[in-house]
Amino acid sequence: MSYLGKPYSLKGLTLRNRVVMSPMCQYSVDAEDGIPNEWHYVHYTSRAIGGAGLIIIEMTDVEPDGRITNRDLGLWSDDHIPAFRRIIDQLHKYGAKVAIQVAHAGRKAQDANPPVGPGDVPFDDTYKTPRALSTEEAWQLVGKFADATRRAVAAGVDTIELHGAHGYLIHQFQSPNSNKRTDEFGQDLSKFGVEVIKAVKAVMPADMPLIMRVSAIEYAEGGYDIDYAIDLCRKYRDAGVDMFDVSSGGDGVSAGRKPGNIPGYHVPLAVAIKKALDVPVITVGLIDDEKLAESILGSGNADLVAIGRGMLRNPYWAVDALRKLDGKTEVVPQYERGY
């Protein structure tokens, strides 16, 4: 059996293979109420039928003004739970395990009036000027992350991913470029993320792992580097993160620090965090070829491989990849004639 096809276990989570569907916003909530609709049902169910081991449902926000746009998913109300549960039940039916990426866009919330963030500096000159959160409001948002996580658990998820990357709220608090506060959330730039982690762990089952997506380097002028990220992730690990989903950037206009967009360009960053902290990692970044995915896993550079654009193009990426690597893999009975 290929490395890609081997099951993977972490705490109470066991995956049928090591293929992850990366979280990718669909901007398709036509009713603008945060509730997933038939598009999301078909979109995610087809990837479960297509063989993915873990499906991470796209960025799902903890309050209405935490969305990138008003057409994004949310979990700020118990009214959202049934629609998520309907999708998750189907994904389980076809053998996939499921996460929801719990998040807040912070100053990158395009439809909020105004958006909020650690300070009052906009992301760039195309974004609105945010309102700086008070200390009390920052603590309230910690609680909203916990509330959204509780709802995700009630909807049936197998794991949670916190979004601490790509310039969204947790990332904004952890970055020296965007967090100039003087209160407790500015004196320790990891504090907001740490408190969110502690809060969500308190409402998760004890055997459910917590994943966190991180930007391992920033691209903007003066942005942090991998050593800073390792120190940050050490604090997040100690607070309760069980696995890191390693990405990069999203913090501002690139100042020439961005690596070339070549397949697997995040792998060295994932390796650095994995080796420094002895934690399992997911790697991502234009990994569309099954041979590259197999090489990454076989060399021990990552524990899971996340497929993004490749799985948008082909819902059955996992089945096709595993058949090429192993000569066979399970497919749903309705599609057996195709193989």
Side-chain angles (χ1 to χ4, degrees), residues 33-330:
D33 56 6
I35 298 175
N37 56 32
E38 290 304 301
W39 172 264
H40 303 91
Y41 181 86
V42 173
H43 174 65
Y44 289 111
T45 301
S46 62
R47 274 70 185 179
I49 293 171
L54 174 65
I55 293 174
I56 306 179
I57 292 175
E58 67 201 79
M59 181 172 171
T60 300
D61 299 293
V62 304
E63 65 176 5
D65 280 347
R67 293 172 289 177
I68 301 172
T69 77
N70 285 345
R71 291 169 60 85
D72 293 352
L73 294 178
L75 264 174
W76 60 80
S77 166
D78 287 356
D79 293 340
H80 294 91
I81 295 173
F84 278 100
R85 184 185 295 122
R86 175 175 177 253
I87 293 172
I88 292 166
D89 286 348
Q90 280 296 104
L91 305 190
H92 286 158
K93 176 180 177 180
Y94 293 109
K97 296 297 174 69
V98 190
I100 291 177
Q101 187 184 66
V102 179
H104 190 294
R107 66 179 183 174
K108 294 179 79 173
Q110 297 172 23
D111 291 333
N113 288 302
V116 297
D120 59 2
V121 178
F123 178 72
D124 63 27
D125 58 10
T126 68
Y127 280 75
K128 298 172 185 174
T129 298
R131 178 180 63 80
L133 291 159
S134 69
T135 303
E136 181 181 0
E137 287 173 324
W139 278 110
Q140 289 170 353
L141 277 173
V142 169
K144 290 181 179 182
F145 272 89
D147 290 341
T149 298
R150 174 186 58 78
R151 295 182 184 109
V153 171
V157 295
D158 304 285
T159 181
I160 294 290
E161 177 169 283
L162 288 176
H163 201 340
H166 301 166
Y168 299 120
L169 188 64
I170 294 176
H171 186 173
Q172 291 163 30
F173 269 96
Q174 74 195 21
S175 173
N177 273 357
S178 50
N179 185 350
K180 309 293 185 182
R181 301 170 69 97
T182 58
D183 68 351
E184 58 191 307
F185 291 108
Q187 294 166 11
D188 176 0
L189 300 194
S190 71
K191 183 174 178 62
F192 184 79
V194 164
E195 295 299 338
V196 168
I197 292 162
K198 290 178 179 178
V200 303
K201 290 287 281 192
V203 299
M204 293 169 59
D207 65 343
M208 180 182 286
L210 175 62
I211 304 169
M212 188 172 194
R213 174 161 274 193
V214 293
S215 284
I217 58 173
E218 295 185 320
Y219 301 149
E221 184 71 33
Y224 65 69
D225 60 14
I226 186 62
D227 291 334
Y228 182 93
I230 288 171
D231 288 340
L232 191 68
C233 289
R234 181 177 290 107
K235 294 177 181 178
Y236 290 165
R237 178 202 64 185
D238 293 347
V241 172
D242 298 292
M243 170 179 267
F244 290 99
D245 182 357
V246 182
S247 186
S248 67
D251 55 303
V253 178
S254 176
R257 294 162 53 91
K258 186 175 182 179
N261 280 350
I262 60 174
Y265 67 100
H266 286 134
V267 173
L269 302 174
V271 170
I273 291 173
K274 180 177 175 66
K275 289 186 175 180
L277 303 180
D278 191 26
V279 291
V281 296
I282 304 171
T283 193
V284 66
L286 302 179
I287 305 171
D288 295 346
D289 182 85
E290 71 280 350
K291 292 180 181 178
L292 174 58
E294 180 71 0
S295 174
I296 291 167
L297 296 171
S299 62
N301 287 336
D303 300 273
L304 302 174
V305 174
I307 311 301
R309 291 172 177 84
M311 207 168 280
L312 289 181
R313 294 191 295 271
N314 178 10
Y316 312 104
W317 189 97
V319 164
D320 290 349
L322 293 174
R323 284 189 63 84
K324 290 175 184 176
L325 291 171
D326 295 331
K328 62 178 181 179
T329 191
E330 290 187 11

